[in-house]
């Protein structure tokens, strides 16, 4: 968590920590899924894992520890994959980092009628105003959510936009992984 602000909430710190980690891997990465666990509880219940993650020293602030999960299948729609996930009680939240192409709101009026699926994806990919973004979205069981969005053209830790309502659809899909 070298660049994450300590004054931020534990969820915001976790989102920024994941964003920083994924950013260090470069662009053109597959989607990455993380379980979020309570750091203090992890130290007590899984001391060897906490030591392996460098968490043996107790910090004063309450925190969340992101634990990367197995690869997200690239050949399957993300919403279909997320619908198959169920988390054990020890997981207090989850996060997903994913890269996408984004258009400005002004481009909505330019979308040709009847485009969908692969044709719409191709049209967006060829649009001159497209932006490559990395979105890191995290949710907790209690409904809290946060997100970080980084533009490829402004790839800097000081240019990361954060907020709970930046990617509402993805936040809802992640929240659904905690429903019974």
């Amino acid at each position: 968590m070298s660049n994450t602000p300590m004054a931020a909430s534990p969820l915001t710190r976790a989102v920024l920590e994941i964003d920083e980690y994924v950013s260090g891997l470069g662009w053109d990465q597959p989607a990455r899924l993380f379980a979020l666990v309570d750091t203090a509880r992890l130290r007590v219940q899984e001391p060897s894992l906490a030591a392996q993650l460098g968490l043996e020293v107790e910090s004063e602030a309450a925190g969340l520890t992101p634990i990367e999960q197995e690869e997200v299948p690239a050949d399957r729609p993300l919403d279909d994959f997320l619908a198959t996930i169920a988390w054990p009680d020890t997981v207090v939240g989850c996060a997903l980092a994913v890269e996408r192409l984004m258009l400005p709101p002004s481009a909505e009026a330019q979308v040709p009628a009847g485009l969908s699926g692969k044709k719409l994806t191709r049209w967006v990919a060829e649009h001159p105003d497209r932006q490559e973004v990395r979105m890191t979205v995290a949710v907790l069981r209690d409904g809290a959510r946060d997100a970080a969005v980084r533009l490829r053209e402004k790839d800097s830790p000081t240019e990361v936009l954060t907020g709970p309502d930046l990617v509402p659809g993805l936040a809802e899909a992640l929240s659904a992984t905690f429903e019974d």
Side-chain angles (χ1 to χ4, degrees), residues 15-27:
V15 165
L16 290 172
E17 180 180 348
I18 293 167
D19 173 75
E20 183 179 348
Y21 163 73
V22 175
S23 176
L25 300 172
W27 284 87

Side-chain angles (χ1 to χ4, degrees), residues 79-162:
D79 53 344
D80 289 350
F81 169 70
L82 291 175
T84 67
I85 296 175
W87 299 102
D89 292 339
T90 55
V91 174
V92 299
C94 66
L96 183 78
V98 63
E99 295 176 14
R100 291 291 185 257
L101 292 177
M102 210 171 75
L103 292 176
S106 60
E108 282 186 39
Q110 301 171 7
V111 177
L115 276 191
S116 64
K118 290 181 180 179
K119 288 182 180 179
L120 179 59
T121 301
R122 188 173 326 126
W123 183 82
V124 170
E126 294 170 355
H127 195 283
D129 295 331
R130 74 186 176 283
Q131 293 282 323
E132 292 181 69
V133 299
R134 180 180 304 115
M135 302 173 289
T136 303
V137 179
V139 300
L140 297 180
R141 283 184 188 272
D142 68 8
R145 58 176 65 174
D146 211 339
V149 176
R150 182 186 292 245
L151 295 172
R152 188 171 190 158
E153 74 175 23
K154 294 183 178 185
D155 192 3
S156 162
T158 61
E159 296 288 337
V160 177
L161 182 63
T162 61

Side-chain angles (χ1 to χ4, degrees), residues 28-94:
D28 304 318
Q29 294 292 314
R32 295 179 183 278
L33 181 66
F34 298 83
L36 299 176
V37 298
D38 179 274
T39 304
R41 188 173 172 189
L42 178 66
R43 277 190 207 98
V44 171
Q45 294 181 344
E46 298 285 343
S48 62
L49 177 57
Q52 196 176 10
L53 295 172
L55 302 171
E56 58 276 284
V57 177
E58 198 168 325
S59 67
E60 292 180 25
L64 297 169
T65 298
I67 300 174
E68 189 169 5
Q69 303 300 292
E70 293 181 24
E71 281 190 32
V72 175
D75 61 342
R76 189 170 181 190
L78 191 55
D79 53 344
D80 289 350
F81 169 70
L82 291 175
T84 67
I85 296 175
W87 299 102
D89 292 339
T90 55
V91 174
V92 299
C94 66

